């Protein structure tokens, strides 16, 4: 079957847009092909700084013929309705229609036959529409046509469109169309400097090969591999080790079509600046990689750049230009760092009184005081030194006002640690200045130092309670204040450090520190707890656990100790994987279903202790005895927080429950016996609620 080759050749596309643009092109074209009945075998898109390319192979040469039936008016309908039906179906007369019998009468049925079109004609119709409606995040118009209505918007000026379609064994045809005066053809262009001439292409295989000859590596993954391999080898040859950076690699691969890796250097004196600042300076300003000495693990005064040209001087001029810019930028960074060191962190804090954190939640200075107060309350609960935790909370945000963080926001927190150490602060206090932002995502490290944990919790809980108080909660996919991330951070801090905290009490303390109080202040902690439950379900689902078990535990009420909730969920999950657990769940579900039906029928509940005098069968007596023993044993185990033992106790209910349902008729003819047996079923449900609400667990 024929293949499609499409290339959109333009001026340089921003690196950050290329990957998504290639994926959008593949998706838009293939979706439209399928919608037109042209089911393809495979598709792949590519991007370079100056082109988007797509190959789709195995496209049928022609659309399938379509036959559809259209229901018309009733037999005997007015002539106007009949004529409209004939016109819509293309029939010449009613003799060409079928009559379909229906309970409501006889109706005319018209068969509409729509012959398929050649795939190349379909492509010529859909491709210009896709190009005109392409979803660039930013686009522009250019040239003489830009002032005309309906002129093309593209990310950068579009110069040529290559579009061919045909069998591998035959000369392909050009898919003929025009967009904004640009007609399709078979001409593309090589590297802007190394091989700028026109290239005639036929299909994808020779297109990719000819581009490679013209110094263009089409596949971005191949460019990344080449850059990474050459950079590692160049660093190794000089006795260094490349500091890998995947995001930078992705960006650099989008800046070059023919990557050439070179190494430059800078003065040794700049290494007195923190390594992270050096790396940020070189990365942000020149898109270069840094290297380190493998013996010491410290940065070396070298950097690796990726050029887009094979220079005749071996790259000496390119290296010198990059060294000149990097030297100037590092000089600025060194000046910023040394200037920052002259001012103590606490001396910067008064400026926060003029900086608004949120219009309703006050200034940054007020927020820092709240975090200090909350940290002092949390510290004893997690075994942290109160004075150190308070001091760390006092200083943690101060580096936001430094010159270095103003220039490189990504090193906030980290610079706070450096400046705290430089002014002689305790190591735990300094570490908390950096780590109180963590964890910032599911892959981020969780702090373990008690002082860092305290300040991280105080910071996140103040944010959550504050925005909850002013009713700025996440809605749908919108979460402008990253409250979901903050909640997940709290969960990970508690779970991974095995902390015992009452979230309800801590949230109430945080709320008390706010100058603004919501109308339903008493409801806020429980409402926020429900949000934590949702986040915990997400966390456990990502770890492969069942989220319905979280519902089963939270349904008991009063559950605000996340560590105990996680442990209870883990024990419940393991129990339900056993035969005893599965069968007991089935029995409890059966009891709950019967109770639900009978409670609805009688419009009452069956609470209260069953009357032992009404037990007439051994199975009733055995179940009642087992419930009493298991309830006591499970409750005692839960009180000791031994959830595995509680599950083992519940397992003892399985045999008597099975025997009860096998031998006992619940809806006995005697109303008193029936009520007593329903109370016994309710006892089963009550006994298991010592561990979880089993009715919330999915089968």
């Amino acid at each position: 079957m024929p293949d499609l080759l499409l290339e959109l050749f333009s001026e340089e596309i921003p690196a950050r847009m290329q990957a998504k643009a290639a994926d959008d092109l593949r998706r838009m074209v293939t979706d439209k092909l399928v919608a037109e009945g042209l089911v393809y075998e495979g598709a792949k898109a590519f991007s370079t700084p100056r082109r988007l390319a797509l190959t789709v192979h195995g496209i049928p040469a022609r659309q399938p013929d379509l036959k559809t039936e259209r229901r018309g008016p009733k037999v005997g309908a007015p002539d106007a309705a009949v004529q409209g039906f004939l016109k819509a179906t293309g029939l010449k007369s009613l003799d060409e229609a079928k009559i379909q019998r229906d309970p409501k009468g006889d109706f005319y049925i018209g068969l509409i036959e729509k012959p398929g079109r050649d795939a190349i004609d379909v492509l010529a119709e859909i491709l210009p529409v896709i190009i005109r409606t392409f979803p660039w995040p930013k686009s522009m118009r250019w040239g003489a046509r830009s002032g005309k209505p309906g002129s093309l918007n593209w990310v950068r000026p579009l110069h040529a469109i290559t579009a061919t379609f045909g069998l591998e064994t035959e000369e392909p045809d050009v898919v003929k169309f025009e967009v904004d005066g640009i007609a399709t053809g078979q001409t593309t262009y090589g590297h802007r400097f190394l091989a700028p001439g026109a290239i005639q292409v036929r299909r994808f295989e020779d297109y990719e090969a000819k581009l490679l000859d013209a110094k263009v590596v089409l596949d971005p993954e191949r460019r990344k591999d080449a850059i990474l391999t050459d950079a590692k080898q160049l660093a190794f040859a000089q006795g260094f080790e490349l500091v890998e950076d995947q995001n930078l690699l992705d960006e650099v691969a989008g800046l070059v079509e023919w990557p050439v890796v070179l190494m430059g250097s800078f003065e040794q004196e700049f290494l007195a600046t923190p390594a992270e600042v050096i790396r940020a300076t070189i990365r942000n300003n020149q898109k270069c990689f840094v290297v380190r000495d493998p013996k010491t693990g410290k940065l070396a005064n070298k950097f690796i750049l990726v050029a887009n040209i094979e220079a005749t001087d071996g790259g000496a001029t390119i290296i010198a230009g990059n060294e000149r810019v990097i030297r100037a930028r590092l000089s600025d960074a060194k000046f910023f760092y040394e200037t920052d060191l002259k001012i103590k962190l606490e001396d910067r804090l008064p400026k926060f009184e003029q900086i608004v954190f949120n219009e309703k939640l006050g200034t940054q200075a007020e927020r820092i005081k709240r975090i200090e107060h909350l940290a002092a309350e949390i510290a004893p609960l997690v075994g942290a030194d109160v004075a150190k935790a308070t001091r760390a909370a006092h200083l943690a945000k101060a580096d936001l006002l430094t010159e270095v963080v103003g220039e490189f926001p990504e090193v906030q927190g980290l610079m706070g640690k450096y400046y705290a150490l430089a002014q002689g602060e305790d190591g735990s206090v300094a570490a908390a200045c950096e780590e109180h932002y963590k964890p910032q995502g599911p892959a981020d490290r969780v702090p373990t130092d008690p002082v860092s944990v305290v300040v991280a919790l105080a910071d996140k809980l103040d944010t959550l309670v504050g925005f909850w108080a002013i009713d700025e909660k996440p809605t749908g996919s919108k979460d402008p204040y990253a409250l979901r991330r903050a909640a997940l951070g709290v969960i990970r801090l508690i779970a991974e450090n095995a902390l015992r905290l009452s979230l309800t009490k801590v949230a109430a303390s945080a709320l008390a520190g706010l100058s603004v109080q919501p109308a339903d202040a008493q409801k806020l902690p429980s409402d926020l707890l429900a949000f934590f439950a949702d986040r915990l379900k997400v966390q456990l689902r990502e770890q492969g656990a069942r989220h319905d078990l979280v519902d089963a535990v939270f349904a008991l009420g009063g559950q605000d100790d996340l560590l105990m909730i996680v442990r209870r969920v883990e024990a419940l999950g393991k129990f339900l994987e056993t035969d005893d657990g599965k069968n007991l769940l089935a029995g409890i579900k059966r009891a709950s279903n019967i109770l639900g039906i009978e409670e609805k029928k009688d419009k009452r509940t069956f609470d209260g202790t069953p009357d032992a005098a009404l037990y007439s069968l051994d199975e009733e007596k055995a179940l009642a005895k087992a419930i009493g023993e298991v309830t006591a044993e499970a409750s005692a185990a839960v009180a000791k927080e031994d959830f595995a033992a509680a599950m083992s106790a519940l397992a003892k209910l399985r045999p008597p429950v099975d025997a009860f349902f096998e031998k006992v008729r619940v809806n006995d003819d005697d109303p008193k016996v029936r009520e007593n047996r329903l109370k016994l079923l309710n006892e089963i449900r009550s006994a298991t609620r010592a561990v979880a609400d089993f009715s919330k667990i999915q089968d």
Side-chain angles (χ1 to χ4, degrees), residues 292-553:
R292 61 184 163 224
D293 185 338
K295 296 178 182 177
T296 63
K298 296 182 179 180
L299 289 190
N301 62 326
K302 302 285 183 179
F303 64 89
I304 287 179
L305 65 98
V306 182
N308 190 35
I309 188 172
E310 292 176 344
T312 55
D313 64 355
T317 302
I318 296 173
I319 293 171
N322 278 270
E323 287 178 339
R324 186 166 56 252
V325 175
I326 284 175
R327 187 179 299 115
R329 295 292 179 264
L330 287 177
S331 180
D332 289 343
K334 184 172 181 288
F335 173 77
F336 292 152
Y337 177 62
E338 291 173 349
T339 301
D340 287 340
L341 287 174
K342 296 175 183 177
I343 304 174
K344 287 192 171 185
L345 290 174
E346 57 263 46
D347 292 340
R348 300 179 182 276
L349 296 178
K351 288 186 179 180
F352 279 131
E353 295 175 4
Q354 281 75 49
I355 298 174
V356 176
F357 169 66
N358 178 275
E359 185 179 358
K360 296 179 181 178
L361 296 175
T363 64
Q364 279 281 16
E366 291 173 313
R367 180 164 188 258
I368 290 170
K369 289 179 181 178
R370 293 198 303 269
I371 295 173
E372 286 182 54
H373 177 74
L374 198 54
E377 290 200 15
I378 296 173
L381 304 177
V382 302
D385 184 283
V386 176
K388 291 180 181 179
T390 307
R391 177 66 175 171
H394 184 65
L395 300 177
K397 303 294 182 184
D399 72 333
L400 295 175
L401 298 174
T402 62
E403 297 287 346
V404 170
V405 174
E407 185 73 14
F408 306 109
E410 65 268 31
V411 296
Q412 68 181 27
L414 177 67
M415 295 312 299
K417 180 184 77 172
Y418 282 128
Y419 297 140
L421 290 173
Q423 69 182 42
E425 297 291 340
D426 180 84
S428 291
V429 171
C433 290
E434 175 190 9
E435 295 181 332
H436 79 282
Y437 290 108
K438 295 180 177 294
Q440 292 186 307
D444 196 15
R445 177 175 61 85
V446 174
T448 56
D449 184 287
V451 174
S452 296
V453 171
V454 167
V455 183
L457 283 170
D459 181 40
K460 292 170 177 58
L461 287 168
D462 175 77
T463 299
L464 286 161
V465 172
F467 284 107
W468 236 255
I470 62 173
D471 199 26
E472 291 283 356
K473 307 169 189 175
T475 55
S477 61
K478 295 182 179 179
D479 187 10
Y481 304 110
L483 300 182
R484 292 188 181 98
R485 186 175 69 185
L488 282 171
V490 171
I491 290 169
R492 289 190 64 200
L493 283 162
I494 290 174
E496 296 184 30
N497 285 291
L499 302 180
R500 304 299 305 276
L501 280 180
S502 168
L503 280 178
T504 304
K505 291 180 181 178
V506 175
S509 295
L511 180 61
L514 293 173
S515 58
V516 57
Q517 293 291 313
D520 55 348
Q522 292 184 343
K523 184 185 174 186
L524 186 146
S526 60
D527 188 20
L528 186 58
L529 187 63
F531 181 67
F532 274 108
D534 289 337
R535 295 301 93 204
L536 182 58
K537 283 190 280 188
V538 172
Q539 175 87 351
L540 292 175
R541 190 185 301 124
E542 290 175 352
Q543 295 172 358
R546 292 170 50 176
H547 64 86
D548 58 324
L549 303 188
V550 180
D551 289 331
V553 172

Side-chain angles (χ1 to χ4, degrees), residues 4-7 25-26 29 43-46 52-56:
L4 167 69
L5 167 64
L6 175 66
E7 185 204 65
L25 182 64
R26 178 195 56 77
V29 172
K44 191 169 183 181
F46 304 89
L52 291 179
L54 173 70
T55 175
V56 186

Side-chain angles (χ1 to χ4, degrees), residues 10-62:
S10 68
E11 295 295 326
E12 275 71 7
I13 305 167
R16 67 183 183 279
M17 298 183 188
Q18 291 172 23
K20 185 178 184 302
D23 187 61
D24 285 341
L25 182 64
R26 178 195 56 77
R27 175 183 51 79
M28 293 174 76
V29 172
T30 55
D31 284 356
K32 199 65 178 173
L33 286 173
V34 172
E36 293 290 342
L38 296 169
V39 181
Y40 61 97
E41 293 179 0
K44 191 169 183 181
F46 304 89
S47 62
T48 79
R50 294 207 298 163
R51 69 199 81 224
L52 291 179
L54 173 70
T55 175
V56 186
H57 63 271
I59 303 174
R62 186 178 177 82

Side-chain angles (χ1 to χ4, degrees), residues 552 556 584-585 587-600 604-608 610 623 627 630-631 634-635 650 653 657 661 677-696:
L556 299 179
L584 180 60
L585 175 62
I588 295 169
K589 288 272 191 179
R590 185 174 177 182
S592 296
N593 291 338
I594 293 172
L595 276 170
I597 293 169
E598 300 307 315
E599 286 172 345
K600 186 176 181 181
R604 56 165 290 195
T605 60
F606 293 93
D607 299 324
L623 178 57
I627 288 173
V630 164
T631 300
S635 298
L650 288 185
L653 277 178
V657 167
F661 282 119
R677 288 174 178 174
L678 287 172
K679 286 183 176 180
L680 190 55
L681 293 187
N682 190 60
E683 290 282 286
I684 298 174
R685 188 166 59 180
S686 299
T688 56
R689 284 182 66 86
V691 174
D693 185 347
F694 278 67
S695 67
K696 300 291 184 182

